[in-house]
Amino acid sequence: MRLTKFGHSCVRLDTGQGLLVIDPGAYSDPAALDGADALFITHEHADHCDPDGVRRLREARPDVPVYGPASLAAVLGGLPFTAVSAGDAIPVAGTEVKVFGAQHAVIHPDIPIVENLAYLVDGVYHPGDSLTVPDMPVRTLLVPAAAPWLKLSEAIDFARDIGAPAVHPIHDAILSDIGKGLPDRLFPLLVGDSYRRIPDGETITV
């Protein structure tokens, strides 16, 4: 399978039988949706879900399925989607997407917690804005690297708990180029040589 990073938390997975896109939001490249065969959204926040982008996709290709938590209805404005929840397994593009998670990590006690799902696609794990550890092996972990709800030590411990052979940072649009250097130094030191940054627009085999 081939993985392309399209900025922030957005990735596209090419299974050889179709293209799956996860979390195309306001901080990611709209080109991620070009040719998409299925769209998975972890939660309703704008940096993970761009309703205008979903609308354009559905207008151009009404047959493309969109999956996410039931709470997406509040931001998609009537756009059709399939609500999924932890424990679901969705056959698509010649593979199966397993669903985990329940809630977004706490940003601040005064900010309501929203639903947040995580997706495991043929061993590639995208946790959205959570540190949910799945109960099955992960080959490639997409680890959140910077967020208002996150300490870098938590991200490092999350990667250690999962123990994936490959670890790549996501959720990093809020970091400057200098800022990205911090996780890029600490993860190899504390997690090991499984860590590698994927530049935006680059494709790797996973």
Side-chain angles (χ1 to χ4, degrees), residues 98-191:
K98 297 179 174 65
V99 184
F100 298 87
Q103 291 186 326
H104 192 288
V106 175
I107 301 172
H108 186 277
D110 292 346
I111 297 177
I113 296 174
V114 301
E115 286 185 275
N116 180 98
L117 299 179
Y119 301 115
L120 181 66
V121 188
D122 194 20
V124 177
Y125 188 59
H126 191 306
D129 282 6
S130 77
L131 300 176
T132 299
V133 177
D135 58 357
M136 56 183 60
V138 173
R139 290 187 298 108
T140 300
L141 171 63
L142 304 175
V143 61
W149 50 269
L150 182 71
K151 292 194 300 185
L152 192 54
S153 62
E154 295 172 329
I156 288 168
D157 287 344
F158 176 57
R160 285 177 165 180
D161 288 344
I162 289 182
V167 178
H168 304 292
I170 58 169
H171 210 282
D172 53 6
I174 64 173
L175 293 177
S176 66
D177 289 341
I178 293 173
K180 290 175 183 176
L182 181 58
D184 289 354
R185 289 192 300 272
L186 288 182
F187 266 94
L189 178 66
L190 297 172
V191 175

Side-chain angles (χ1 to χ4, degrees), residues 9 11 13 20-24 39-44 48 66-70 72 81-90 96-101 115-130 132 134 136 138 140-142 170:
S9 280
V11 297
L13 301 173
L20 313 182
V21 178
I22 303 176
D23 277 5
L39 174 57
F40 290 82
I41 299 172
T42 61
H43 65 286
E44 65 191 68
H48 297 257
V66 178
Y67 301 94
L72 285 184
F81 75 100
T82 299
V84 295
S85 57
D88 289 344
I90 304 151
E96 186 176 68
V97 179
K98 297 179 174 65
V99 184
F100 298 87
E115 286 185 275
N116 180 98
L117 299 179
Y119 301 115
L120 181 66
V121 188
D122 194 20
V124 177
Y125 188 59
H126 191 306
D129 282 6
S130 77
T132 299
M136 56 183 60
V138 173
T140 300
L141 171 63
L142 304 175
I170 58 169

